Amino acid sequence: MLINLSELFSCQGKMKTYTPDLEMKQFQTPDGVCEVVEKAPVRLTIVNQGNRQMHVEGVVRLSLAMPCARCLEPVKVPFDLEIDQDLDLNQTEEERVEALDEQPYISGYNLDVDQLVANELLLNLPMKVLCKEDCRGICNQCGMNLNKGTCSCDKQSFDPRMSVIQDIFKQFKEV
């Protein structure tokens, strides 16, 4: 959803509240793509601070289906995000890059709400998502979810770094 900011330029101190619907259906995380399973309309308040500078405040509520770090089952993770951004529309793209203040959600006089939310979401992603605290994960040999049952794989774990020594022991057994 794009919001045209030019209507706020008429006078300093002008404020407007927007409640656009979030169009995002998926979110690209560093670990893969997550589905947006719940979302509420975004509430943004934009204030003209004069000299082509805007202040954006807002609230976003949504939930993502993220994979559990141990068993890979989808877990519904809720997010309550607060947006608090200052926008300087005087800067060119090159000046923003030099100042390390890239704002990919600004294009001309348009504010891309989905991109703004995606930036905030990226900053608030959890380090690890677990379906439950005592998740047992998956079998490293057959891939079975160990929360749903046990598998018949050999449970003796071998350290791959010790494979050379194991080969030596096997040679002595054969003698």
Side-chain angles (χ1 to χ4, degrees):
M1 171 78 184
L2 293 177
I3 296 176
N4 191 339
L5 299 175
S6 61
E7 65 182 292
L8 294 170
F9 288 135
S10 62
C11 64
Q12 183 175 345
K14 186 171 182 177
M15 178 179 8
K16 187 162 183 183
T17 301
Y18 299 90
T19 55
D21 288 329
L22 197 59
E23 295 175 353
M24 182 186 322
K25 292 180 181 19
Q26 295 179 331
F27 178 68
Q28 178 68 44
T29 66
D31 297 328
V33 177
C34 296
E35 297 293 323
V36 178
V37 291
E38 284 183 356
K39 56 187 171 182
V42 180
R43 183 168 174 78
L44 293 176
T45 302
I46 304 175
V47 180
N48 180 353
Q49 296 180 325
N51 195 22
R52 294 174 43 100
Q53 297 194 11
M54 305 282 178
H55 183 74
V56 179
E57 289 182 358
V59 176
V60 181
R61 286 185 176 76
L62 64 109
S63 296
L64 295 178
M66 300 180 77
C68 174
R70 293 182 187 157
C71 68
L72 303 177
E73 290 291 319
V75 179
K76 181 179 165 186
V77 181
F79 291 92
D80 289 329
L81 306 174
E82 293 187 17
I83 297 172
D84 188 12
Q85 295 281 332
D86 288 319
L87 308 176
D88 186 359
L89 300 175
N90 291 320
Q91 289 182 324
T92 64
E93 294 297 322
E94 294 81 26
E95 291 172 337
R96 287 186 186 132
V97 170
E98 285 179 22
L100 299 175
D101 187 26
E102 297 179 45
Q103 297 173 344
Y105 43 85
I106 295 290
S107 176
Y109 296 128
N110 293 319
L111 173 68
D112 186 348
V113 177
D114 282 358
Q115 186 63 46
L116 177 66
V117 170
N119 283 2
E120 288 295 320
L121 195 54
L122 192 59
L123 294 173
N124 289 286
L125 286 175
M127 294 295 285
K128 182 191 268 188
V129 175
L130 294 177
C131 60
K132 55 186 179 181
E133 199 61 37
D134 61 342
C135 177
R136 296 179 61 209
I138 59 175
C139 174
N140 61 0
Q141 293 177 358
C142 69
M144 180 178 177
N145 186 341
L146 298 176
N147 294 319
K148 296 179 179 175
T150 58
C151 62
S152 59
C153 296
D154 184 13
K155 299 297 182 203
Q156 184 178 2
S157 64
F158 294 106
D159 188 349
R161 297 171 292 182
M162 301 296 283
S163 64
V164 174
I165 294 174
Q166 289 173 352
D167 290 342
I168 293 170
F169 287 141
K170 286 179 186 175
Q171 288 176 0
F172 285 121
K173 284 184 181 179
E174 293 174 1
V175 173

